[in-house]
Amino acid sequence: MIVLNGESAPFRAGETLDAVLASLGLTATSPGVAIAVDREVVPRAEWETFTLADGASVEVLTAMQGG
Amino acid sequence: MTDSTTGTAAPSNASSGNGAVEAPEEDVLRIAGRTFSSRLLLGTGGFPSLELLAEAIARSGSELVTVALRRIDPAARGSLVDVLSAGGVELLPNTAGCFTARDAVLTAKLAREAFQTDLVKLEVIGDEDTLLPDAPELLRAAEELVDDGFTVLPYTTDDPILARRLVDVGCAAVMPLGSPIGSGMGIRNPYNIALIREAVRVPVVLDAGIGTASDAALAMELGCDAVMAASAIARAEDPVRMASAMRQAVQAGRLARTAGRIPRRRYATASTPAEGLPEF
């Protein structure tokens, strides 16, 4: 299991961020998206190869209206 | 005429052919090597719909608009990124909602990754009720981000000393508040805003507290290089109309500032000569 945007999500250790993106309807080329894993930025170029550890905290963020 | 404190050229000719008053082309806003012909920055928060936001951006003439970074909502309709790229504007990501330098720095790095820009409107907030900046955390985050290559525009209090400290660590502009975010109370301490303009040599962008067009004009008359408006436009009864009002107010205020206002006097000064006055 991992924690995806604050909620438990059924991803196994060793799966890549690509799989997480796909579950959100995104791809590695979706514009305006950024990902942090355990409070570290994961550059876009690494999304296809970055493998998740069990219990990883993943934040997938995008543009929202704001001040 | 060149204003040495801001590196911006003052207008030499304030009129245009069709009678509309517009800022002359050469009177551009320069922030860290970028140039903008509009001196109105638009916040995208609070608009009731993306359609209204798109129309307000167009009507405001703004070329630099803020955007926030939040958890993605797969069910969200429409894409803010699409609307903003269609509007041809440059993005100014913010770190709204961050209470520590640590969170703000991480958010800025994520925004750089998401939007491919080194610009960041740095917000480090002290508490939920006032949303006032937390000065020590703000300064710490600014220094760290500047060192990491960011072009940092900090949302700050109306304290000239803090503004100077922010510029000392390398901020490309300062964004002092007129009054608390979303309060619409205008500029509570115009003296401090004028002092900030004198204290630093980077652009001063009046941010937060703007309620209506006259507030924006006052900011420019005080010497600010630009004004940022968000709630004042987004939450107006007619946001598109208010976007237009703000655009004109910023232009009018800039023109008035560069035109040089008359000094205030306690007594009247006749505008009609007494010479030739008949004696009845």
Side-chain angles (χ1 to χ4, degrees), chain A residues 9-42:
Chain A
F11 292 92
R12 291 185 307 277
E15 284 195 87
T16 65
L17 281 178
D18 257 6
V20 176
L21 285 166
S23 75
L24 296 168
L26 300 170
T27 70
T29 57
S30 297
V33 177
I35 302 179
V37 177
D38 297 330
R39 292 193 59 91
E40 292 288 333
V41 181
V42 181

Side-chain angles (χ1 to χ4, degrees), chain B residues 188-206:
Chain B
R188 303 314 302 162
N189 193 339
Y191 306 99
N192 272 26
I193 298 298
L195 284 174
I196 289 173
R197 175 58 288 163
E198 291 169 22
V200 300
R201 289 179 168 269
V202 298
V204 176
V205 183
L206 196 287

Side-chain angles (χ1 to χ4, degrees), chain B residues 40-196:
Chain B
L40 176 59
L41 281 64
L42 186 72
T44 59
F47 281 89
S49 72
L50 287 176
E51 290 74 21
L52 267 177
L53 170 61
E55 208 178 329
I57 289 173
R59 205 67 81 79
S60 73
S62 181
E63 297 160 312
L64 187 56
V65 306
T66 62
V67 62
L69 208 54
R70 290 291 182 267
R71 286 172 170 168
I72 196 158
D73 174 9
R77 286 189 192 156
S79 162
L80 178 61
V81 175
D82 290 348
V83 166
L84 298 180
S85 54
V89 291
E90 182 147 358
L91 298 187
L92 176 59
N94 70 22
T95 62
C98 293
F99 284 79
T100 62
R102 184 169 174 252
D103 282 354
V105 167
L106 177 58
T107 301
K109 289 178 178 174
L110 285 163
R112 177 166 66 181
E113 201 52 35
F115 309 122
Q116 303 296 307
T117 179
D118 64 336
L119 286 174
V120 61
K121 182 190 164 194
L122 179 61
E123 297 182 42
V124 189
I125 297 308
D127 76 38
E128 298 266 12
D129 291 330
T130 63
L131 299 178
L132 289 170
D134 182 319
E137 292 291 309
L138 178 67
L139 195 56
R140 195 171 301 134
E143 191 163 17
E144 198 172 324
L145 289 170
V146 167
D147 287 348
D148 197 12
F150 281 88
T151 297
V152 181
L153 286 67
Y155 165 62
T156 181
T157 56
D158 59 9
D159 174 359
I161 308 304
L162 178 58
R164 206 165 61 203
R165 292 289 298 270
L166 287 162
V167 174
D168 286 346
V169 301
C171 290
V174 287
M175 302 183 70
L177 57 82
S179 51
I181 293 170
S183 70
M185 287 198 292
I187 300 173
R188 303 314 302 162
N189 193 339
Y191 306 99
N192 272 26
I193 298 298
L195 284 174
I196 289 173

